[in-house]
């Protein structure tokens, strides 16, 4: 059990290069979801990368009650799809459509090959930002690659395509003994004043794999700025990131209250407790026949 999470998201600005860096450590959150959903090694790792993406999307929220969700359908991948959500204040939850992939989990092929088979080469995505009353914005887009598709591609395409913000993204997760060992994310956003030469240099550094290696090693904002050849970052802000799901036993009972009366009576007559799992966080709620009687 994680007693105190070390997950945080840190942002700072490099004024000379006109670049804002945001780095997130979501290791504990990814581990919690992996455990709650009883994920196999591959599903747990893919989910961990998307959790990092959810943290970066959370930087777009600016008021309590707001949430932003990313849903990626993966028609060619064995995983089927991934959904993650970040609430204002960086509370994250999510799930993969398939939790265990026996053919991949037991394979000794390289991780990149297994990821390709789990995700596939194409996706249909939707990103929905909402508050307590309504949908604020919604974007849908399709991606297809001949070589390989990654969670990084999906989040980066949303920032560049849907939001028209020039940005580079790196999501990274690693495992040890079949469990998530670390999960990090980096958003490198170039403001309009940033030069094309700066973008090309940063893009080359991301493409080389050096950024992913630094994230896996736990590099902070200052270290990443040095790696990218940027001036020292200023105005650092930091916020905790945590696993959070809004499901409660009261909400489960409210859902059951909507069932036909006959169905409730049959469940009560069976004399057995009913286990209901939240698909977003994996938590199990055990509803007794006595609780069901109160709904009548």
């Amino acid at each position: 059990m994680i007693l105190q999470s070390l997950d945080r998201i840190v942002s700072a600005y490099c004024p000379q290069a006109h670049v804002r860096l945001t780095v997130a450590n979501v290791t504990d959150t990814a581990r919690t979801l992996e455990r709650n959903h009883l994920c196999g090694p591959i599903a747990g790792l893919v989910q961990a990368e998307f959790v990092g993406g959810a943290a970066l999307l959370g930087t777009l929220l600016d008021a309590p009650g707001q949430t932003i969700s990313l849903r990626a359908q993966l028609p060619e991948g064995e995983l089927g799809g991934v959904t993650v959500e970040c609430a204002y204040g960086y509370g994250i939850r999510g799930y993969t459509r398939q939790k265990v992939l026996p053919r991949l989990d037991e394979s000794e092929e390289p991780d990149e090959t297994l990821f390709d088979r789990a995700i596939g080469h194409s996706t249909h995505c939707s990103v929905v930002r909402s508050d307590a009353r309504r949908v604020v914005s919604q974007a849908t887009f399709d991606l297809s690659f001949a070589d390989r598709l990654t969670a990084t591609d999906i989040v980066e395409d949303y920032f560049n395509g849907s939001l028209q913000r020039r940005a580079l993204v790196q999501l990274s997760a690693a495992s040890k003994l079949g469990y998530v060992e670390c999960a990090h994310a980096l958003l490198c956003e170039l403001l309009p004043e940033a030069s094309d030469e700066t973008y090309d240099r940063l893009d080359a550094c991301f493409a080389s794999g050096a950024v992913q290696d630094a994230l896996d090693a736990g590099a902070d904002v200052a270290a990443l700025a040095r790696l990218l050849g940027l001036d020292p970052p200023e105005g650092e802000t930091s916020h905790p990131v945590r696993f959070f799901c809004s499901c409660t036993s009261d909400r489960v009972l409210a859902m059951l209250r909507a069932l036909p009366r006959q169905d409730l009576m049959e469940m009560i007559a069976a004399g057995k407790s009913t286990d209901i799992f939240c698909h977003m966080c994996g938590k199990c709620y055990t509803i007794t026949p006595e609780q069901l009687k109160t709904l009548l």
Side-chain angles (χ1 to χ4, degrees):
M1 178 179 294
I2 299 171
L3 299 179
Q4 184 176 2
S5 175
L6 300 177
D7 289 0
R8 298 197 73 82
I9 186 163
V10 179
S11 183
Y13 180 59
C14 301
Q16 295 180 20
H18 305 290
V19 171
R20 178 169 294 280
L21 297 177
T22 300
V23 60
N25 176 10
V26 295
T27 302
D28 292 338
T29 302
R31 287 173 177 169
T32 299
L33 283 169
E34 178 187 43
R35 181 181 65 248
N36 287 4
H37 288 303
L38 301 178
C39 291
I42 299 303
L45 271 181
V46 174
Q47 181 175 256
E49 290 196 354
F50 275 90
V51 166
L56 299 184
L57 293 175
T59 62
L60 304 172
L61 306 178
D62 53 20
Q66 292 184 346
T67 61
I68 187 166
S69 64
L70 164 64
R71 181 185 182 191
Q73 299 178 35
L74 306 170
E76 301 172 359
E78 294 188 31
L79 203 59
V82 183
T83 298
V84 288
E85 179 184 275
C86 184
Y88 177 80
Y90 298 103
I92 297 175
R93 61 180 183 168
Y95 68 99
T96 58
R97 185 173 298 176
Q98 299 296 326
K99 309 295 189 288
V100 180
L101 306 172
R103 291 189 299 176
L104 305 187
D105 293 336
E106 299 170 6
S107 174
E108 296 183 358
E109 294 180 273
D111 283 350
E112 287 190 359
T113 301
L114 298 177
F115 270 45
D116 290 347
R117 292 172 59 187
I119 296 177
H121 299 279
S122 64
T123 181
H124 175 71
C125 298
S126 63
V127 178
V128 179
R129 180 177 172 182
S130 59
D131 58 24
R133 297 186 300 264
R134 62 189 178 90
V135 172
V136 176
S137 65
Q138 181 172 356
T140 59
F141 54 95
D142 296 313
L143 288 177
S144 180
F145 291 88
D147 48 0
R148 63 191 311 257
L149 170 71
T150 67
T152 294
D153 296 321
I154 294 171
V155 176
E156 187 172 272
D157 189 85
Y158 175 70
F159 276 97
N160 285 279
S162 300
L163 299 183
Q164 294 295 299
R165 294 165 69 160
R166 194 164 48 155
L168 295 162
V169 170
Q170 182 64 62
L171 309 179
S172 183
S175 66
K176 185 176 183 179
L177 300 177
Y179 299 95
V180 171
E181 180 182 27
C182 62
H184 301 89
L186 173 65
L187 170 64
C188 179
E189 184 173 2
L190 291 84
L191 301 190
E193 298 83 358
S195 67
D196 292 337
E197 291 77 13
T198 297
Y199 176 84
D200 292 340
R201 177 166 51 81
L202 296 178
D203 186 38
C205 191
F206 273 74
S208 72
V211 172
Q212 182 172 356
D213 291 341
L215 284 176
D216 288 342
D220 60 12
V221 167
L224 289 166
R226 290 192 297 270
L227 173 67
L228 294 169
L230 303 173
D231 50 298
E234 301 176 357
E236 183 176 302
T237 60
S238 177
H239 300 279
V241 176
R242 71 196 193 284
F243 159 74
F244 171 76
C245 187
S246 58
C247 66
T248 64
S249 57
D250 288 342
R251 291 192 174 190
V252 172
L253 289 172
M255 176 192 68
L256 292 173
R257 189 177 290 115
L259 292 176
R261 183 180 181 87
Q262 184 61 36
D263 290 351
L264 290 174
M265 293 178 66
E266 290 177 359
M267 294 169 67
I268 294 170
K272 298 179 181 180
S273 296
T274 302
D275 288 338
I276 296 179
F277 293 86
C278 173
H279 70 282
M280 286 296 288
C281 73
K283 185 174 181 179
C284 175
Y285 292 91
T286 300
I287 307 301
T288 65
E290 288 71 25
Q291 289 176 293
L292 293 175
K293 289 178 183 178
T294 66
L295 302 182
L296 297 178

